[in-house]
Amino acid sequence: GTPVLIHSGDPEHFWDIEKATPEHLARGWCYGDGTYHTLDQLYDECYEMLDKHPKLNVTFAHFFFLSNKFDEAVRVFEKYPNVKISIRQANDVHINDWIEHGEIDLALVYNASYYESFSFIPLHKTPIVCFTPKSYKPRNGKFMTATDLHDMPIILRTENFDDVAINILANGGISLDSCIRIDNDESCYEFIRQGFGFRLTSEIAFTSNNEINMYPIDYEVTRTFGMISVIPQYISPAVNLFRKEVLLFFSDNNLLHV
């Protein structure tokens, strides 16, 4: 069925006024005065919904705010196999702000130079390629040139996700006015699949399959994908396990390439 995205709850410390930052208080992000549901009450409402609708295909935003409750996260996944969680997606400015304000412990990023004050673990150097609709072929049949990129609109993520792609377009004399701006990668993929445009992004962003094509561009541009984190002793158990699993995945699949 149709997947449902639910945002329920907030970070646990939003219910503790002593832990609330001035920014959180100014935005009204503090719920510990007794006039709001507790976080446990919000969880109970979600579990009641899942018990009534066990086949519901639901994704909970922001890891369902269970990063400090790993055992509970495991219980949820085991009891409700259709449940998924999303991990926050943002640009460098937001990620840097979230880490500085303690809202996240770890992030997967491309632009290591932006996070010089944090620990960076390089994982994978990936080339920038062009994803195209299945029916499209570049003029030489092998790789994309600046001339080819004029054939269709370029699909870019909003804000500063695509700084490398924007530089490539600038070098090719392609105006950003002809670009389509989209907020998430899933929608970008669908626009490509439907034949609405090209996307310049990292090779590992999508899988070349029977729905879209992937072509190299005519000169090599790469990005290094990696993890940044706060000081290790401050990382929550769930995030620490996630970091280990990411490293294990890249190692087991021979993807550690920097």
Side-chain angles (χ1 to χ4, degrees), residues 39 76 103 108 126 134-136 147 149 171 184 186 191 200 229 240-241 249:
L39 185 56
V76 170
E103 295 184 36
L108 302 173
T126 176
K134 195 65 182 179
S135 60
Y136 181 84
T147 301
L149 293 176
N171 291 335
N184 60 78
E186 292 81 4
F191 265 62
L200 291 166
S229 65
N240 189 45
L241 181 61
F249 173 83

Side-chain angles (χ1 to χ4, degrees), residues 15-65:
W15 276 263
D16 187 343
I17 195 168
E18 294 183 357
K19 295 181 179 179
T21 67
E23 179 185 7
H24 294 156
L25 292 172
R27 296 187 179 187
W29 292 351
C30 189
Y31 318 125
D33 62 359
T35 61
Y36 298 90
H37 277 29
T38 66
L39 185 56
D40 285 337
Q41 287 174 320
L42 295 176
Y43 283 136
D44 288 341
E45 289 182 352
C46 291
Y47 299 150
E48 182 179 353
M49 173 195 67
L50 293 172
D51 289 334
K52 290 181 178 179
H53 306 282
K55 294 184 179 181
L56 186 65
N57 182 11
V58 60
T59 298
F60 288 106
H62 308 311
F63 204 78
F64 203 16
F65 302 103

Side-chain angles (χ1 to χ4, degrees), residues 6-234:
I6 297 177
H7 184 296
S8 181
D10 261 326
E12 191 173 10
H13 62 267
F14 282 15
W15 276 263
D16 187 343
I17 195 168
E18 294 183 357
K19 295 181 179 179
T21 67
E23 179 185 7
H24 294 156
L25 292 172
R27 296 187 179 187
W29 292 351
C30 189
Y31 318 125
D33 62 359
T35 61
Y36 298 90
H37 277 29
T38 66
L39 185 56
D40 285 337
Q41 287 174 320
L42 295 176
Y43 283 136
D44 288 341
E45 289 182 352
C46 291
Y47 299 150
E48 182 179 353
M49 173 195 67
L50 293 172
D51 289 334
K52 290 181 178 179
H53 306 282
K55 294 184 179 181
L56 186 65
N57 182 11
V58 60
T59 298
F60 288 106
H62 308 311
F63 204 78
F64 203 16
F65 302 103
L66 290 175
S67 61
N68 288 311
K69 299 178 179 179
F70 182 68
D71 290 342
E72 177 64 8
V74 172
R75 187 195 72 81
V76 170
F77 293 141
E78 290 179 346
K79 184 174 181 180
Y80 308 108
N82 289 336
V83 165
K84 303 175 181 65
I85 54 94
S86 82
I87 299 173
R88 297 174 79 171
Q89 192 177 65
N91 60 30
D92 293 325
V93 175
H94 289 149
I95 290 173
N96 189 75
D97 183 66
W98 290 343
I99 290 184
E100 286 187 344
H101 289 86
E103 295 184 36
I104 61 174
D105 296 332
L106 176 146
L108 302 173
V109 301
Y110 287 109
N111 191 1
S113 61
Y114 195 86
Y115 305 96
E116 294 180 352
S117 59
F118 302 110
S119 172
F120 178 74
I121 302 173
L123 294 172
H124 186 79
K125 182 180 287 185
T126 176
I128 300 297
V129 298
C130 185
F131 291 93
T132 76
K134 195 65 182 179
S135 60
Y136 181 84
K137 286 187 178 181
R139 288 165 174 77
N140 59 41
K142 296 180 180 180
F143 56 83
M144 299 290 288
T145 67
T147 301
D148 294 318
L149 293 176
H150 282 84
D151 289 345
M152 296 184 73
I154 302 296
I155 300 168
L156 296 175
R157 291 286 306 276
T158 52
E159 301 182 4
N160 73 332
F161 277 101
D162 286 324
D163 52 337
V164 173
I166 289 171
N167 289 336
I168 293 172
L169 298 177
N171 291 335
I174 299 172
S175 170
L176 296 183
D177 292 337
S178 64
C179 296
I180 301 171
R181 297 279 185 166
I182 300 179
D183 187 56
N184 60 78
D185 286 329
E186 292 81 4
S187 297
C188 290
Y189 179 93
E190 189 61 22
F191 265 62
I192 299 167
R193 190 182 73 83
Q194 295 287 349
F196 295 139
F198 302 147
R199 175 138 172 77
L200 291 166
T201 189
S202 303
E203 184 180 49
I204 61 174
F206 305 121
T207 301
S208 180
N209 52 36
N210 62 354
E211 295 186 325
I212 64 173
N213 291 328
M214 179 180 71
Y215 294 103
I217 57 176
D218 59 349
Y219 62 97
E220 186 179 29
V221 182
T222 62
R223 300 180 88 177
T224 299
F225 174 76
M227 291 188 291
I228 59 165
S229 65
V230 295
I231 300 174
Q233 58 262 38
Y234 297 133

